[in-house]
Amino acid sequence: MPFVLESSKRGFYPGDRPKINDRDYRMDESLFRSFQGMIEGMYGTPVDSYHDVLHITRGLVLTTPLIGHRENRGVEIDKTVVFWSMVLHDVGSNGQDSPDHGQVGAALIAPFVRVSPFFTPQQAEQIIANVQWHNKPFRQIPIEIHTPEFAIFTNADALELVRMEDGRNITLTQRYAWGFTHIAQELFEKTKNAPKGREFDTVMSVACEMGLVIA
Ligand SMILES: [Fe+2]
Ligand SMILES: [Fe+2]
């Protein structure tokens, strides 16, 4: 799968990929399970087949090694914002992306996220903004949106573009995401034929098998 790095981020490109032991960054399966009902409820009957339970669940799993990678380098990450942005980000998808599904999704979630006891007002606004901007061209995104949480969530979403299987160039906007392309590909290959209704469980058991999640 042809991954490329956003041109302004290339630096030493095409230098070595970072050496990453993704098994250092595992999180407990129970953490992911807490999102299962929400994910299946929102994406269980998808309008289009690319924004389904498999995409969201794999995306959620892929955020965790990226979070671990940043945290190990001293970057503070608000995991609540990352996870909820991933879980909610494609709720506005509609098959043809007109109107824009980031915009639609943000409008849909805003009333709920703003009154939810799970989030501080700041976290709520960050999640809404992340959903709104997740599908916009990198250079059009305002500087204040480019938080470490936005970078992790959108790069996990980009890694998940392997599911299109159409040979497209997949643009990653962070060099560190480069180290996780093989994981994204393997997770996709091993879960793409998950039986209907067992999508979440299949991703969990494969992720545990791959060492990405602690059972
Ligand atoms: Fe999207
Ligand atoms: Fe997505």
Side-chain angles (χ1 to χ4, degrees), residues 118-211:
F118 295 144
F119 316 119
T120 65
Q122 239 171 341
Q123 287 176 318
E125 295 313 313
Q126 200 184 343
I127 292 166
I128 295 163
N130 283 356
V131 170
Q132 178 183 342
W133 288 98
H134 84 269
N135 57 337
K136 309 297 187 290
F138 185 70
R139 284 155 206 230
Q140 288 174 22
I141 298 168
I143 187 84
E144 65 271 18
I145 304 299
H146 283 297
T147 59
E149 291 81 14
F150 183 78
I152 288 172
F153 141 64
T154 50
N155 278 275
D157 192 30
L159 287 168
E160 246 296 283
L161 281 171
V162 293
R163 74 192 186 285
M164 299 299 179
E165 293 189 291
D166 57 3
R168 70 176 63 191
N169 274 356
I170 298 175
T171 305
L172 300 173
T173 63
Q174 299 293 327
R175 278 188 61 78
Y176 62 79
W178 197 249
F180 300 97
T181 55
H182 61 292
I183 295 173
Q185 186 74 54
E186 185 180 344
L187 186 61
F188 166 69
E189 295 294 343
K190 290 182 169 169
T191 57
K192 64 179 177 182
N193 297 319
K196 188 89 199 103
R198 301 265 313 145
E199 292 94 339
F200 188 96
D201 293 332
T202 305
V203 174
M204 276 307 116
S205 71
V206 169
C208 289
E209 212 179 272
M210 286 173 66

Side-chain angles (χ1 to χ4, degrees), residues 10-57:
R10 276 178 201 169
F12 306 113
Y13 181 83
D16 293 338
R17 294 181 180 213
K19 295 254 184 302
I20 283 158
N21 179 1
D22 34 84
R23 282 164 183 76
D24 292 345
Y25 311 126
R26 295 179 298 171
M27 291 193 198
D28 266 23
E29 187 179 341
S30 59
L31 171 113
F32 300 99
R33 287 280 172 199
S34 66
F35 292 103
Q36 181 173 5
M38 180 92 45
I39 294 173
E40 289 177 343
M42 289 192 296
Y43 301 95
T45 43
V47 188
D48 72 280
S49 59
Y50 293 116
H51 297 103
D52 58 359
V53 171
L54 283 171
H55 168 50
I56 303 297
T57 312

